Amino acid sequence: MEDYNKIIESLGVKFVKAKNIKIQKPVTVNNLYEVENKVIWVNKGEVLLGEEKLLAKEGDFAFIPGGKVHQITYGRGSQIETITNDKFITGKSEYFNSITHDELLTEGGDSFSYISFEAKVFDSVNFFASLDIPPFIFSNDVIKSLNDKIFEELDTDEPGADRMVKVLTEYLLVELFRHIVRNKLFVEQLATNSTYFKDPRLIDIFNYINEHLGGDLSNKKLAEVANVSEDYVGQYFKMLTGINPQDYIEYQRMEEAVTLLRTSKKSIRDIGHEVGYKDTAYFCRRFKMMFGIPAGKMRRRESLMNV
C-alpha cells in the first residue's frame, strides 16, 4: 500500500476538457490516438474498445489511456463506418455533435460524455501509458458522481469553478486508481512497470529530459545525469521503464509539439526546432508516423468542431 501511495503522490493531474456528445453516425476508428487519458460515460448506446470489442453499454464507463493507438467504435447499428484516425479528426462533425449536459439526458439517440485529463509522474511521464494499461470497461458510482459534478462546475459562473474542476479531476484520478487496485486489475503491469518510482537516478533523468527537450539528450548526456556509464544507461533505462530512452525522448518531444500546435501560433518549423528537431522535414515525417496525421492537420482540428 505504501508503494501505491508513493505513486499517487508523484502524479501531476491536469484537467484538459469535457464534452457531451450526441453520435450522429456510428463509426469505428481503427487507429485512434489521443495524447490525454479519457473517461467516457455511455448515456445511450454502446462504445466498443479494441479488436476484442469490449462492450461499454448504457451506464458504463470506458477508460481509454492516452499515448497509445486504440480501436474504438462509437454507437451501434447494422452499418458502422470504419475509418482512420486522420479522417475522424478532420471530419468529426459528420459523426459527433457537441451538446449541453441537459440535452445529453433528454435528447434521443446514442450519446456519451467524456472527461480528458493528463496524469504524469513527476510531471514528466504519461502514467497509464508507462504502465502499459489497456482500455477497460467499468462501473463506479463515485466516478459517476464526480463526472456529474465536473460538468456542473463547468456550467456555473460561481467563483472558484476552475479550482473545483481541478480538485474534482484529481479526485477522479485517485478513484480510478483505487478501482484498479481494489478489483485487482492489471496486477502484473503494476508490479513490473512501476519500479521506476523507487529509483531517484531515473527520476533525475525524467526531470532532465522534461526540462531540456530542445537540447542534447544523447545517451552520453543522460549517463552524466544518472551518473552511470554511457554503455549502460540505455539498458538501465529500458530495464526500469520497458522502453529505450531515445524512444521515450521522441514521445515526449512529440507530446510537447502537440501542446504547442494546440496552444500557440508558432510555425511548424519553429515548433520542430523548439522540441529538438533541426530538420523540419524529418520532424514532419516522424510526427505523421507517430500520430497518423500531419502536424498541420493536428493544428487545424483545434479550429474545427471542438469535440
Side-chain angles (χ1 to χ4, degrees):
M1 192 58 66
E2 181 182 351
D3 287 344
Y4 290 151
N5 285 328
K6 285 182 180 178
I7 290 172
I8 290 171
E9 288 302 314
S10 74
L11 292 179
V13 183
K14 178 184 176 184
F15 170 82
V16 177
K17 70 170 107 172
K19 293 288 178 181
N20 299 298
I21 303 297
K22 182 174 180 179
I23 300 173
Q24 304 281 78
K25 185 195 299 186
V27 62
T28 296
V29 187
N30 261 337
N31 57 337
L32 183 70
Y33 185 97
E34 296 282 358
V35 173
E36 298 92 12
N37 310 288
K38 269 188 177 179
V39 172
I40 294 174
W41 180 68
V42 183
N43 178 49
K44 295 178 183 175
E46 298 175 352
V47 172
L48 302 177
L49 303 183
E51 295 180 0
E52 306 87 356
K53 299 192 180 302
L54 301 174
L55 171 63
K57 57 187 185 301
E58 295 178 12
D60 286 341
F61 282 95
F63 176 67
I64 304 173
K68 298 214 173 209
V69 172
H70 308 290
Q71 183 185 90
I72 311 291
T73 299
Y74 297 101
R76 55 192 167 174
S78 58
Q79 294 184 327
I80 299 177
E81 185 177 356
T82 299
I83 61 174
T84 64
N85 189 50
D86 192 347
K87 183 176 179 181
F88 181 63
I89 285 173
T90 56
K92 271 189 178 178
S93 59
E94 182 179 348
Y95 306 98
F96 286 176
N97 181 34
S98 182
I99 59 177
T100 68
H101 204 54
D102 287 340
E103 289 171 335
L104 178 80
L105 301 175
T106 58
E107 286 201 0
D110 292 353
S111 59
F112 65 91
S113 64
Y114 76 79
I115 296 168
S116 64
F117 63 93
E118 292 180 356
K120 292 188 174 181
V121 184
F122 301 104
D123 293 323
S124 302
V125 185
N126 187 319
F127 175 61
F128 292 103
S130 71
L131 292 182
D132 201 27
I133 287 178
F136 63 94
I137 311 298
F138 66 101
S139 295
N140 185 296
D141 291 339
V142 175
I143 289 180
K144 178 62 175 70
S145 176
L146 291 170
N147 177 85
D148 292 343
K149 287 179 180 178
I150 287 172
F151 279 98
E152 182 181 325
E153 290 296 332
L154 290 170
D155 287 340
T156 187
D157 57 1
E158 291 285 335
D162 290 345
R163 182 65 179 268
M164 284 296 296
V165 169
K166 179 179 183 297
V167 171
L168 289 167
T169 305
E170 290 179 344
Y171 188 175
L172 186 149
L173 179 280
V174 172
E175 185 59 33
L176 185 64
F177 189 81
R178 284 178 175 177
H179 179 88
I180 290 171
V181 174
R182 192 182 298 132
N183 292 279
K184 297 181 171 57
L185 304 177
F186 319 117
V187 174
E188 185 177 344
Q189 287 95 323
L190 285 171
T192 59
N193 295 338
S194 60
T195 53
Y196 58 80
F197 292 96
K198 307 169 188 175
D199 194 312
R201 294 176 301 175
L202 191 61
I203 301 307
D204 287 344
I205 292 179
F206 286 149
N207 288 333
Y208 186 85
I209 291 171
N210 192 46
E211 294 168 5
H212 299 84
L213 284 177
D216 177 14
L217 293 176
S218 63
N219 279 5
K220 180 179 180 180
K221 176 56 69 175
L222 299 184
E224 293 174 3
V225 172
N227 196 27
V228 298
S229 73
E230 183 179 351
D231 292 338
Y232 177 64
V233 70
Q235 177 186 344
Y236 161 76
F237 191 95
K238 187 170 184 177
M239 177 178 64
L240 294 181
T241 66
I243 58 174
N244 71 60
Q246 295 308 315
D247 285 345
Y248 170 76
I249 288 165
E250 180 166 53
Y251 173 78
Q252 292 299 111
R253 283 174 163 161
M254 289 300 180
E255 191 177 60
E256 178 62 17
V258 170
T259 299
L260 292 171
L261 285 166
R262 289 175 168 176
T263 60
S264 79
K265 295 183 179 180
K266 295 178 181 178
S267 69
I268 290 174
R269 179 179 179 274
D270 287 345
I271 289 173
H273 285 193
E274 187 167 331
V275 299
Y277 292 87
K278 295 179 180 178
D279 185 333
T280 303
Y282 179 71
F283 165 69
C284 290
R285 286 198 303 273
R286 296 301 300 170
F287 190 98
K288 185 174 182 181
M289 186 175 295
M290 180 170 288
F291 297 113
I293 61 170
K297 282 191 176 181
M298 178 69 78
R299 164 165 279 164
R300 285 197 297 274
R301 83 173 188 170
E302 295 303 308
S303 63
L304 297 172
M305 182 178 183
N306 191 21
V307 296

